[in-house]
Amino acid sequence: MYPSVRLFMEKLIDYAGLFPPAGLPIEAAIRNYQAYSHDQDSWMIGKFIIPVSRLQELVPYMQLFSRDHPLMLSVIGDRSSEADACMQLLAENLERIQAFRDQYQDEVQIDVLDLPLPPIRLQAHLLDAIGKGTSKLGLRTFCELTYALNAEWESRMLANLDEVAAYNETSGLRLGIKLRTGGMTAEAFPTSNQISLVLAGCKDRGLSLKFTAGLHHPFRMYRNEVKTKMHGFLNVFFAGLLANSHKLEIQQIAEIIEDEIPDSFKFSSDGLQWRHLSMTSSDIQAYRNEGVCSYGSCSFDEPRDEMREFQLLEQRS
């Protein structure tokens, strides 16, 4: 395997087996995660994603984990519709997180919070409550910005990226962004240009970005189950990495996201390449850590098996 593949795929896939379309019972999901975290591909799997409201459902299965192999969690906060409710729920969520940490000590690590924000224009006092509250617990926090995919989406998204970036600049903290890239129906999928706008917006503002939903396959393709083209996780992450490395504009980023030709995407001993654009392994590592971080998938088998089908986990002559 090329070192560049390892750097690209390391801890890339957060396991979201509790969520649709898999929607597994918690026992099946947590046992899957425990098995994945010990098999030959464990280096590709990141954290187990769970809503904060369901943390206590993990109690019967904590014997599967230990100080040497702790349960790595990314916790999703409760959703709210306005700022005051968001701050109240956040305080309650943080109490639950700390209580679970105290209960299991070194057998669990909770260091990421994905917080769905209300569909409003963000203000400094809300971001300050989020930043200060989560930083006290040492949580890396990603703000999920979810707006209707209509004519106002672009202006609302850019305005709130500005607000998060301004808060980070004045506070010295590093709130990140979480973007939904699909769902159960065609209407849930943002366009390539919309994803490109967020990739470019986060690049220009120095914001970390993670993704959820819809990225089941390496390459962009039409899928009958959703009656639309699903975005490929290689497309999205190649686009994000190359956008940072080459300072790409939105239209250039969109071309990468829309490319349905597998041979356009290459790994090598030196790095990766899409058509005429390339980047080094050291840049992959840097931008994966701070730029495009991970994505949530309800399946771990599907993406890794398809990577093998395309011989992307082995060196190709």
Side-chain angles (χ1 to χ4, degrees):
M1 181 190 304
Y2 291 124
S4 58
V5 178
R6 180 92 185 201
L7 292 169
F8 182 93
M9 292 293 299
E10 187 119 37
K11 307 300 181 191
L12 184 75
I13 306 169
D14 291 327
Y15 182 55
L18 294 174
F19 297 85
L24 297 177
I26 195 157
E27 180 173 3
I30 197 63
R31 289 189 182 278
N32 281 351
Y33 180 76
Q34 193 270 346
Y36 295 145
S37 64
H38 285 81
D39 75 12
Q40 65 172 345
D41 297 324
S42 60
W43 57 275
M44 287 189 280
I45 199 162
K47 303 179 188 303
F48 184 82
I49 302 177
I50 187 167
V52 67
S53 61
R54 300 187 67 180
L55 278 175
Q56 286 299 313
E57 295 181 41
L58 293 170
V59 169
Y61 312 105
M62 287 305 298
Q63 74 272 14
L64 297 172
F65 304 93
S66 65
R67 179 176 299 183
D68 292 334
H69 294 283
L71 173 57
M72 311 293 290
L73 295 179
S74 179
V75 175
I76 300 178
D78 291 327
R79 189 175 295 275
S80 56
S81 59
E82 47 90 18
D84 288 343
C86 183
M87 290 187 285
Q88 177 61 40
L89 288 171
L90 174 64
E92 296 171 4
N93 292 173
L94 295 179
E95 288 180 4
R96 288 185 176 185
I97 289 169
Q98 190 56 52
F100 198 78
R101 281 175 167 175
D102 293 342
Q103 187 175 0
Y104 289 102
Q105 306 281 325
D106 295 336
E107 296 171 12
V108 67
Q109 290 186 20
I110 306 175
D111 54 13
V112 174
L113 174 67
D114 295 343
L115 185 64
L117 297 190
I120 59 174
R121 175 66 182 263
L122 299 179
Q123 296 181 341
H125 74 283
L126 174 57
L127 293 173
D128 195 45
I130 296 168
K132 288 180 177 177
T134 58
S135 64
K136 286 179 182 177
L137 270 62
L139 294 168
R140 187 176 188 184
T141 303
F142 291 85
C143 299
E144 182 182 336
L145 304 180
T146 307
Y147 310 112
L149 298 173
N150 56 28
E152 298 178 355
W153 182 91
E154 179 175 337
S155 61
R156 298 182 76 184
M157 180 63 71
L158 290 176
N160 285 318
L161 292 182
D162 283 340
E163 293 293 338
V164 175
Y167 173 76
N168 287 353
E169 180 70 23
T170 57
S171 69
L173 299 176
R174 290 291 306 274
L175 296 179
I177 301 298
K178 180 179 177 181
L179 178 68
R180 302 193 72 82
T181 45
M184 298 293 290
T185 64
E187 293 74 21
F189 285 77
T191 66
S192 298
N193 280 339
Q194 286 171 325
I195 296 176
S196 301
L197 179 138
V198 176
L199 283 169
C202 288
K203 164 185 67 73
D204 294 342
R205 294 162 177 80
L207 298 172
S208 298
L209 180 60
K210 68 186 300 190
F211 307 90
T212 187
L215 300 180
H216 295 186
H217 309 283
F219 305 107
R220 177 177 167 86
M221 63 176 70
Y222 181 86
R223 300 291 298 187
N224 192 56
E225 65 266 29
V226 288
K227 302 294 190 292
T228 192
K229 290 184 178 180
M230 298 179 75
H231 301 293
F233 65 83
L234 286 186
N235 295 72
V236 170
F237 280 86
F238 266 63
L241 292 169
L242 290 166
N244 278 278
S245 182
H246 291 273
K247 312 305 178 191
L248 301 181
E249 300 297 329
I250 291 173
Q251 187 53 47
Q252 296 171 291
I253 299 170
E255 289 180 17
I256 303 173
I257 292 175
E258 292 182 343
D259 192 341
E260 299 176 28
I261 303 173
D263 284 345
S264 299
F265 301 83
K266 301 182 185 299
F267 293 98
S268 70
S269 58
D270 303 319
L272 61 77
Q273 182 176 353
W274 175 80
R275 296 185 186 176
H276 62 285
L277 296 175
S278 63
M279 63 188 298
T280 65
S281 292
S282 60
D283 280 343
I284 295 172
Q285 185 173 30
Y287 294 129
R288 265 293 322 278
N289 289 339
E290 298 300 327
V292 283
C293 304
S294 65
Y295 78 96
S297 173
C298 69
S299 172
F300 182 61
D301 292 321
E302 201 168 34
R304 66 167 171 173
D305 290 349
E306 291 188 25
M307 287 285 286
R308 284 205 162 85
E309 287 177 20
F310 286 101
Q311 297 182 311
L312 289 167
L313 294 181
E314 295 80 23
Q315 295 183 15
R316 292 187 292 180
S317 60

